[in-house]
Amino acid sequence: MDKRILKDMEFIVELDRMKTILRQTSLITEDRREDDAQHSWHIAVMTMVLSDYSNDDIDVNKVIKMLLIHDLVELYAGDTFCYDQEGNKDKREREVKAAEKIFGMLESKKATEFRALWDEFEEMESPEALFAASMDRLQPMLNNYYNGGGTWKKHGVAQSDIYKRISPVKSSSDKLWEFVEHMLEDAYNRGLILKK
């Protein structure tokens, strides 16, 4: 049996655990938390639909690849709620260690490619990484808006903190940023988020 195929299959089997990593964000239609696999699928499709609104000419396939692998580190590092100040203190360290472990399961060429995509996503400097970060942050915002405030209400998240978190959208898409501003102002007016 080809050892490379066996390594790839071992990696693929390990990825099934993404379906067990629960995020803080609830589904729009149910009072149930989404998992990492659902989140990754959703933002990949969002990219296909919303990429026309990017301010830059982006490689959509590269953005989708980034989005499909960016949370794989959570298999070992867990999901850290974006507004959890304490949990975010060592998040980078935990995720780098997890990246070495999960991407290290692959043969060197694939490991290098996947790790480079993950690093680029984390650095948020290229147009693709900025757009990927925008999708990653826009999706939970939509969920919170459409499920009555969701984690914003549950954790008393201030509007200013949400604006800070969603800020990559401002750099990647004027049209989507206009939508974000409208939605967040409406969410505040409806009492879904606090003003601080």
Side-chain angles (χ1 to χ4, degrees):
M1 182 65 68
D2 184 323
K3 288 182 181 178
R4 198 169 53 123
I5 290 175
L6 291 176
K7 282 188 89 162
D8 287 347
M9 290 303 175
E10 181 184 0
F11 177 79
I12 288 166
V13 168
E14 186 72 356
L15 296 188
D16 189 69
R17 291 183 46 229
M18 290 290 284
K19 300 169 189 172
T20 68
I21 309 294
L22 295 179
R23 299 170 49 80
Q24 288 293 320
T25 307
S26 295
L27 301 175
I28 292 172
T29 57
E30 296 179 32
D31 187 24
R32 178 173 66 85
R33 289 164 55 189
E34 73 175 349
D35 62 49
D36 270 350
Q38 292 167 323
H39 170 69
S40 296
W41 163 83
H42 202 181
I43 57 181
V45 174
M46 283 174 59
T47 297
M48 293 167 57
V49 174
L50 300 175
S51 61
D52 291 349
Y53 301 108
S54 175
N55 289 343
D56 298 299
D57 186 24
I58 56 171
D59 179 343
V60 174
N61 287 331
K62 185 177 183 183
V63 174
I64 291 171
K65 284 181 179 182
M66 278 185 201
L67 292 172
L68 290 174
I69 63 136
H70 83 287
D71 277 339
L72 296 184
V73 296
E74 293 183 4
L75 286 168
Y76 309 121
D79 177 56
T80 305
F81 184 46
C82 61
Y83 300 108
D84 177 359
Q85 292 180 357
E86 191 61 35
N88 277 287
K89 286 181 181 175
D90 68 344
K91 177 184 174 188
R92 176 73 181 158
E93 180 183 320
R94 286 183 288 115
E95 289 192 347
V96 166
K97 189 184 276 188
E100 291 166 5
K101 183 174 179 179
I102 189 65
F103 301 133
M105 292 179 72
L106 294 164
E107 53 86 15
S108 63
K109 185 177 177 186
K110 284 180 190 159
T112 300
E113 177 193 358
F114 282 33
R115 178 60 191 263
L117 285 166
W118 184 78
D119 286 334
E120 185 176 344
F121 176 86
E122 289 295 309
E123 292 162 5
M124 277 196 304
E125 292 179 2
S126 69
E128 286 81 10
L130 268 173
F131 198 81
S134 297
M135 297 299 97
D136 184 45
R137 294 170 186 208
L138 181 60
Q139 187 259 352
M141 189 193 93
L142 291 170
N143 284 38
N144 283 328
Y145 180 86
Y146 285 105
N147 67 21
T151 55
W152 295 336
K153 282 184 115 171
K154 181 179 178 182
H155 298 284
V157 179
Q159 187 183 44
S160 58
D161 291 332
I162 299 166
Y163 268 110
K164 184 177 177 183
R165 175 76 182 155
I166 196 75
S167 66
V169 175
K170 189 173 188 176
S171 301
S172 67
S173 172
D174 295 336
K175 290 275 190 192
L176 292 176
W177 183 249
E178 183 181 329
F179 173 81
V180 163
E181 286 184 308
H182 171 76
M183 184 169 275
L184 289 181
E185 292 306 313
D186 186 58
Y188 170 72
N189 291 334
R190 292 175 43 209
L192 304 180
I193 50 179
L194 305 173
K195 188 101 164 182
K196 282 187 191 170

